[in-house]
Amino acid sequence: GEALSRRSDVQDVLPVETNIVVASLVPGANAAALVAQFKEQGVLSAVFGPHTVRMVTHLGIDDQALEQALAAICSTRP
């Protein structure tokens, strides 16, 4: 959630209370395009609306996979 909130194309991240992170994008940003960029870097996420992205972790996500996800979040361009 923190990494997503630092992106210039993210308007808001819902409070993270579980393993689910939901981010609303700024007007004009495209959730499907962002999800596609993450997928190109091996990180799966979901379109949760035209301007909303959803990411979920689970027990199978190890530290290396989390680092890969953080790198994708921080390196993809808006």
Side-chain angles (χ1 to χ4, degrees):
E2 290 176 22
L4 281 169
S5 69
R6 290 191 296 267
R7 292 181 56 93
S8 63
D9 56 348
V10 172
Q11 180 172 330
D12 186 41
V13 177
L14 294 179
V16 179
E17 297 179 17
T18 64
N19 61 329
I20 300 170
V21 179
V22 177
S24 299
L25 306 181
V26 297
N30 183 312
L34 183 58
V35 166
Q37 286 179 339
F38 288 159
K39 186 175 182 179
E40 287 175 3
Q41 295 195 35
V43 176
L44 300 179
S45 56
V47 174
F48 207 54
H51 307 289
T52 308
V53 174
R54 180 176 184 256
M55 301 180 93
V56 180
T57 60
H58 59 82
L59 292 175
I61 302 296
D62 60 15
D63 289 344
Q64 182 179 1
L66 184 56
E67 290 300 321
Q68 180 181 357
L70 289 172
I73 290 167
C74 295
S75 68
T76 55
R77 55 190 173 106

